[in-house]
Amino acid sequence: MLNRLGRLQDLFISDLFGITKAECLLPIEVPNLEYLYLDSVPHEFASAMRSRWRSEAANGTSVSITKARKPEWVQENLENPLRDWDGREHISSGRFKKAVAQFKKTRSEVLAALSGESDESTVGRLEDVGRDYASAFNRLDGRSPFIETEERGELFDALDKVMAESELELGRSLAAERLALLSGVEAARDW
């Protein structure tokens, strides 16, 4: 379908999975393309685009293709709310892996706390889980901090996503439980 956009000048695609090499944009079909930016797309698509567009740089097309994702990565990280951290300039691979492991641990603890009837003990447990989450990321941030405004928001968004999914699954509001979890995080976080 992209090849039908003959007057296309700029194309930016990020975090689009499911696109294949068969959907490769052809230089002959979009002769006015000046800027092509692909980030975090399937490896086979990125490779096909790179081979088709590399020579177009000589004709003035700016081409940037980064973070080509192998099928295993996509499968492992498709539902990972922190997947954008992988390959981010100021976040090492080791920190990314530790962050994902901590998120998965926290997610499991939240789901376990929500598995029974909600009462005051559930609220207390979730507050503890929030404190543990914040403390773990305080340690991970350590002496050379990497959690900045964007990452801070993503850490909160990841927890909010867990709570929203739980609300859908349970069919009820979890406002008090969400507040307890986030209060725990706020009480302990340094980031």
Side-chain angles (χ1 to χ4, degrees):
M1 297 298 282
L2 289 173
N3 286 305
R4 293 184 185 170
L5 303 173
R7 294 190 298 178
L8 186 66
Q9 292 181 330
D10 299 319
L11 180 62
F12 176 90
I13 297 175
S14 180
D15 287 323
L16 179 63
F17 305 107
I19 195 166
T20 67
K21 66 181 178 182
E23 297 167 282
C24 186
L25 185 65
L26 304 173
I28 196 162
E29 299 295 334
V30 287
N32 299 321
L33 194 70
E34 296 172 0
Y35 188 72
L36 173 65
Y37 180 85
L38 304 177
D39 179 69
S40 192
V41 296
H43 186 266
E44 76 164 23
F45 178 71
S47 295
M49 290 291 283
R50 191 176 286 118
S51 67
R52 296 269 184 174
W53 286 91
R54 184 177 295 135
S55 62
E56 292 302 311
N59 297 328
T61 303
S62 176
V63 178
S64 175
I65 301 174
T66 58
K67 299 183 201 167
R69 305 299 192 183
K70 301 245 176 176
E72 304 81 34
W73 186 96
V74 174
Q75 183 178 6
E76 185 176 317
N77 289 288
L78 193 58
E79 297 299 319
N80 174 6
L82 302 178
R83 73 174 177 236
D84 290 343
W85 289 22
D86 188 17
R88 199 171 279 177
E89 189 173 309
H90 66 287
I91 301 175
S92 70
S93 176
R95 280 184 162 172
F96 167 70
K97 289 175 184 170
K98 288 177 183 177
V100 170
Q102 181 58 49
F103 169 73
K104 287 179 179 179
K105 177 181 181 284
T106 301
R107 183 179 185 279
S108 294
E109 291 170 351
V110 168
L111 296 177
L114 295 172
S115 65
E117 286 298 314
S118 191
D119 58 19
E120 282 189 33
S121 69
T122 303
V123 169
R125 258 177 90 190
L126 287 169
E127 197 166 334
D128 290 342
V129 169
R131 270 193 290 277
D132 291 346
Y133 181 78
S135 295
F137 279 99
N138 287 345
R139 287 188 301 277
L140 190 57
D141 206 28
R143 283 183 244 148
S144 57
F146 72 97
I147 299 175
E148 298 174 359
T149 304
E150 184 175 12
E151 290 79 21
R152 186 177 313 119
E154 290 165 338
L155 287 170
F156 280 108
D157 289 346
L159 290 178
D160 192 57
K161 182 178 179 190
V162 172
M163 295 304 292
E165 289 170 354
S166 296
E167 284 179 327
L168 280 173
E169 186 175 311
L170 297 170
R172 62 184 170 91
S173 171
L174 297 171
E177 293 85 348
R178 177 182 270 120
L179 181 60
L181 181 64
L182 297 179
S183 294
V185 173
E186 285 293 353
R189 77 176 177 88
D190 294 333
W191 31 272

